[in-house]
Amino acid sequence: MMLHKSNALTFFTPKETNSLGTPFFNTGISAGFPSPAEDFKEQRLSLDKELVKNKEATFFARVSGQSMIGAGLDDDDLLVIDRSLEPTNNKIAVCFLDGEFTVKRLKVDKDEVWLKPENPNYPIIKITQENDFVIWGIVTNVIKKV
């Protein structure tokens, strides 16, 4: 279910499912030569259980833009955001800044906070008392399309 759309992010809430999960082969996938000796044992894997640690505090958001490409966050990637985690230095955070949501790396030094993009074409933003600013949640995972 879509919750909110801004220029940079589109938010979704996790959907409850009763699924047992998707088939999962816990053998590791070789990127070199295949091993004929591997014994493939099928297990079930729930991405909800893997990616969502705090269900009530977890949201998904789709990225729009290129400001975080150096951190591996590309346009149209899906972020897993946990609002219960402590925002600390160097974490990637979803922030509400002056009426818009944005995703940036946190730089915290004493009483000063900066939002650092991971693309040299975007400026570092210093947060001041004049800003309407809230750290909304911490990015825990990114889901990519290939």
Side-chain angles (χ1 to χ4, degrees):
M1 174 175 86
M2 187 170 80
L3 200 70
H4 175 81
K5 184 170 176 65
S6 73
N7 288 340
L9 299 165
T10 304
F11 291 90
F12 303 88
T13 55
K15 182 180 179 185
E16 181 115 11
T17 100
N18 293 328
S19 170
L20 296 174
T22 303
F24 173 64
F25 297 95
N26 193 18
T27 59
I29 303 294
S30 173
F33 296 103
S35 172
E38 286 291 338
D39 181 22
F40 292 105
K41 294 182 181 173
E42 181 182 317
Q43 300 174 3
R44 303 300 279 184
L45 174 72
S46 166
L47 289 179
D48 286 348
K49 289 181 183 172
E50 289 292 318
L51 300 177
V52 178
K53 303 301 179 209
N54 302 301
K55 190 175 118 188
E56 291 78 23
T58 299
F59 294 82
F60 300 105
R62 192 163 305 280
V63 176
S64 176
Q66 298 291 320
S67 73
M68 292 299 288
I69 59 173
L73 306 184
D74 296 304
D75 194 46
D76 211 35
D77 283 351
L78 192 62
L79 304 178
V80 181
I81 304 156
D82 190 332
R83 295 194 69 195
S84 69
L85 297 178
E86 187 72 26
T88 57
N89 186 51
N90 220 29
K91 294 284 187 183
I92 295 177
V94 171
C95 303
F96 187 76
L97 175 64
D98 297 332
E100 277 295 322
F101 282 99
T102 188
V103 59
K104 299 286 183 281
R105 188 170 300 279
L106 293 175
K107 291 294 177 189
V108 181
D109 184 27
K110 298 178 183 147
D111 293 333
E112 296 183 319
V113 176
W114 290 271
L115 301 182
K116 184 177 181 271
E118 296 283 342
N119 182 334
N121 297 327
Y122 292 80
I124 295 173
I125 302 166
K126 183 178 181 183
I127 302 304
T128 67
Q129 289 186 354
E130 286 75 42
N131 293 115
D132 178 14
F133 175 71
V134 174
I135 298 173
W136 197 80
I138 301 300
V139 175
T140 59
N141 291 280
V142 60
I143 302 168
K144 296 183 160 298
K145 293 181 183 176
V146 292

